[in-house]
C-alpha cells in the first residue's frame, strides 16, 4: 500500500510540507513527485489527477485521488487506525481536529503576509494589528491544546499528532519572520523546526537555488537557527 504524493517546492510550499509530514511522521509508505509550482507546469503536472488543481494531492495504491490536506489527513487516519494520527483521548482528539480545521480556514493575515520560506530569518518584519490578532489567536489555541493534554511530550497534545503536522508551517513562519510570541510558543516552534523530519525536508529544499529569491521582504536577514 504505497501512496503517491505530489508536492510543490519544499522551501516555500507550506501545504506540501503538511502532506509530506502526515506520511513521513507516521511511517506510511509513499513516493514523492515534485510539481512545477514556480516553473509554470503545475497544471500539466496535475492533469492526470483531476479534479485536483493544488498541492499536495495524494493517489492511493488503488488509484483513488485525494486533494486538500484535511481530506488527506482524515483519509489516512481512517485507513491506518493503528498509526495514532489523532490523540487517543476524545476531548483532545476533538480539539486537535478543531485546530487543524481553523488553520485551514483562518489565520489569513499570517498566511498572506508571511509566506513560508525556510532559507533564512527575516529580522525587523513589521507586525500589523491584524497580524498580531492572528498571533494572539494562535497563543489561545496552543494554550487550549496544552490544557487538553493527557500524554506527556513537547507537542501540542503531548505526543505527536496531525495537529503538529498542520502547525509545522506556522512554527516555521514564526521562526522565519522572528514574530513576537510567548516563551511557551517559541519553545514549541523550536521543537517543530528541530524535528528530524522537518530538518530533512528543509535540507532537501535548500538544494534548489533561487535567483532572485521569490520572497524578498525588504528587511535584513540572518541565518536560520542551527538548532
Amino acid at each position: 500500500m504505497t501512496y503517491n504524493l505530489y508536492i510543490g517546492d519544499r522551501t516555500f510550499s507550506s501545504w506540501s510540507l503538511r502532506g509530506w509530514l502526515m506520511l513521513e511522521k507516521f511511517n506510511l509508505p509513499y513516493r514523492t513527485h515534485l510539481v512545477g509550482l514556480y516553473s509554470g507546469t503545475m497544471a500539466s503536472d496535475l492533469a492526470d489527477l483531476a479534479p485536483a488543481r493544488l498541492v499536495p494531492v495524494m493517489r492511493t495504491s488503488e488509484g483513488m485521488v485525494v486533494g486538500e490536506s484535511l481530506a488527506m489527513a482524515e483519509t489516512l487516519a481512517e485507513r491506518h487506525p493503528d498509526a495514532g494520527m489523532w490523540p487517543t483521548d476524545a476531548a483532545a482528539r476533538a480539539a486537535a481536529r478543531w485546530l487543524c480545521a481553523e488553520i485551514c480556514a483562518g489565520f489569513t493575515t499570517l498566511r498572506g503576509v508571511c509566506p513560508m520560506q525556510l532559507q533564512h530569518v527575516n529580522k525587523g518584519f513589521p507586525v500589523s494589528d491584524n497580524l498580531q490578532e492572528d498571533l494572539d489567536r494562535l497563543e489561545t489555541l496552543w494554550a487550549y491544546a496544552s490544557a487538553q493534554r493527557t500524554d506527556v511530550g513537547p507537542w501540542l497534545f503531548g505526543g505527536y499528532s496531525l495537529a503538529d503536522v498542520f502547525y509545522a508551517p506556522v512554527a516555521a513562519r514564526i521562526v522565519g519572520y522572528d514574530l513576537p510570541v510567548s516563551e511557551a510558543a517559541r519553545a514549541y516552534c523550536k521543537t517543530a523546526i528541530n524535528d528530524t523530519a522537518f530538518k530533512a525536508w528543509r535540507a532537501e529544499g535548500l538544494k534548489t537555488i533561487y535567483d532572485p529569491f521569490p520572497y524578498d521582504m525588504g528587511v535584513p536577514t540572518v541565518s536560520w537557527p542551527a538548532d
Side-chain angles (χ1 to χ4, degrees):
M1 183 185 290
T2 299
Y3 296 95
N4 284 283
L5 178 70
Y6 297 80
I7 62 170
D9 298 55
R10 290 175 174 86
T11 299
F12 308 112
S13 182
S14 59
W15 294 105
S16 295
L17 171 58
R18 291 179 174 100
W20 183 80
L21 284 174
M22 65 181 72
L23 291 163
E24 175 71 16
K25 288 292 292 183
F26 295 99
N27 299 310
L28 304 180
Y30 68 94
R31 289 188 292 265
T32 301
H33 307 272
L34 190 63
V35 169
L37 185 61
Y38 287 89
S39 64
T41 64
M42 188 164 76
S44 59
D45 291 342
L46 295 179
D48 190 43
L49 299 164
R53 61 187 181 90
L54 300 171
V55 288
V57 60
M58 176 181 75
R59 193 199 299 272
T60 69
S61 56
E62 300 86 359
M64 179 175 64
V65 175
V66 185
E68 295 295 334
S69 300
L70 199 54
M72 289 171 54
E74 290 287 13
T75 299
L76 291 171
E78 182 181 73
R79 288 166 64 92
H80 302 278
D82 296 330
M85 302 182 81
W86 292 115
T88 55
D89 177 76
R93 188 163 61 251
R97 285 191 167 108
W98 177 356
L99 263 66
C100 290
E102 185 156 339
I103 194 58
C104 290
F107 295 95
T108 53
T109 300
L110 175 61
R111 288 163 41 202
V113 304
C114 300
M116 190 186 82
Q117 59 80 29
L118 306 180
Q119 180 167 292
H120 52 244
V121 176
N122 292 289
K123 301 293 288 187
F125 185 80
V127 178
S128 67
D129 290 344
N130 287 339
L131 179 54
Q132 186 61 55
E133 286 180 9
D134 276 357
L135 296 174
D136 292 344
R137 178 60 179 172
L138 187 67
E139 298 271 9
T140 297
L141 290 180
W142 285 2
Y144 181 72
S146 180
Q148 309 306 311
R149 286 182 186 175
T150 57
D151 298 327
V152 176
W155 300 101
L156 288 172
F157 292 90
Y160 194 91
S161 74
L162 284 167
D164 301 294
V165 166
F166 277 78
Y167 281 84
V170 176
R173 284 177 164 94
I174 289 172
V175 172
Y177 291 85
D178 194 28
L179 299 177
V181 294
S182 68
E183 287 302 313
R186 194 162 296 281
Y188 173 72
C189 294
K190 185 175 181 180
T191 295
I193 69 165
N194 284 315
D195 178 68
T196 301
F198 181 94
K199 292 175 79 171
W201 170 275
R202 179 174 179 267
E204 190 65 26
L206 292 179
K207 293 178 181 179
T208 301
I209 305 301
Y210 298 89
D211 185 19
F213 190 72
Y215 298 113
D216 180 356
M217 309 309 290
V219 296
T221 64
V222 298
S223 297
W224 189 265
D227 54 36

